[in-house]
Amino acid sequence: MRQKVAAGNWKMNMTPSQTSAFINELAPKVADACNTVIVCPTAVCLPAAVSAAKGTNIKVGAQNMYFEDKGAFTGEISADMLLDLGVSYVILGHSERRQYFAETDETVNKKVLKAFEKGLIPIICVGESLEQREQGITADLVRMQVKIALMGVSAEQAKTAIIAYEPIWAIGTGKTATTEQAEEVCKTIRECVCELYGSDAAEAITIQYGGSVNAKNSAELFAQPDIDGGLVGGASLKAEDFSVIANS
């Protein structure tokens, strides 16, 4: 039985002091959650998040990392840096990283391989634009993204990964894929993993839905057979709303 995972992608929001205050407020609200609860603040807030989350059931993830261990890569953060802080998860290939910072399927794959090498759990983002959905290539595109992201990944590693399906047209727009649309694509992802690694890996891998997940729609989304929780944007910045999602 796969555990549901509620992960909050805070994007470029909150200061370190606000991060500590938020986690202190959130912790008692999710103390009895059966789901895995993860907060993913911006890099400068990670130390505050790790410190505030100690002794709670809240896990901490980063929003990005580079695929090299060290070197002349100004502004980048390595897996070892995250591990030294006590970070357990890392979001990779978010559509905003692809759109604004020129990330490609190939660089996402390099980051996924590095995360597994170092022992971080990757939250791998895939998803289509509105134009691509209207062209009827959603399944083809998402399958390609999944296959490239997992190149060189073993079946045992794949079992521990998290794939987040985030339709680009539903991120921060208030639009949400219907429950049926979200389940259809998450099922497609699971079938793709099954083709790559077999049924054991497909049953074990966590597949989230992301894209305007909120306190009102999370329970219905998370009840679907192939949706194992959500990668939450705006609603994860409100302790009350995120606690409802985390407890869905």
Side-chain angles (χ1 to χ4, degrees), residues 100-176:
Y100 302 134
F101 305 105
E103 290 203 9
T104 65
D105 291 332
E106 289 73 22
T107 57
V108 171
N109 173 243
K110 289 182 179 181
K111 293 181 178 186
V112 169
L113 293 174
K114 180 58 66 174
F116 278 125
E117 176 192 331
K118 297 294 185 176
L120 288 165
I121 298 175
I123 302 174
I124 306 164
C125 299
V126 299
E128 84 285 15
S129 67
L130 182 59
E131 180 182 15
Q132 289 162 337
R133 173 165 280 275
E134 291 175 342
Q135 290 171 341
I137 62 173
T138 295
D140 294 331
L141 179 81
V142 169
R143 284 171 57 85
M144 180 184 73
Q145 289 176 324
V146 169
K147 287 183 176 182
I148 296 176
L150 295 178
M151 282 193 308
V153 172
S154 71
E156 289 305 308
Q157 289 172 329
K159 289 178 182 181
T160 68
I162 299 173
I163 298 179
Y165 166 55
E166 293 202 312
I168 298 170
W169 49 272
I171 298 174
T173 63
K175 296 179 180 179
T176 309

Side-chain angles (χ1 to χ4, degrees), residues 191-208:
E191 290 171 346
C192 182
V193 172
C194 185
E195 292 170 16
L196 293 172
Y197 299 109
S199 58
D200 286 351
E203 284 302 311
I205 195 168
T206 296
I207 301 174
Q208 297 177 309

Side-chain angles (χ1 to χ4, degrees), residues 29-110:
K29 298 178 185 293
V30 298
D32 298 323
C34 295
N35 304 331
T36 299
V37 183
I38 309 169
V39 295
C40 301
T42 189
V44 298
C45 296
L46 288 172
V50 171
S51 178
K54 282 182 180 176
T56 75
N57 60 335
I58 298 172
K59 311 296 184 184
V60 179
Q63 295 178 13
N64 185 37
M65 59 161 236
Y66 200 51
F67 51 76
E68 296 288 356
D69 289 338
K70 59 183 178 180
F73 306 106
T74 302
E76 292 294 341
I77 299 168
S78 73
D80 287 331
M81 294 173 186
L82 297 179
L83 289 166
D84 195 67
L85 287 175
V87 171
S88 306
Y89 298 81
V90 59
I91 299 171
L92 299 175
H94 192 279
S95 65
E96 290 160 2
R97 298 292 315 173
R98 296 175 191 252
Q99 179 180 355
Y100 302 134
F101 305 105
E103 290 203 9
T104 65
D105 291 332
E106 289 73 22
T107 57
V108 171
N109 173 243
K110 289 182 179 181

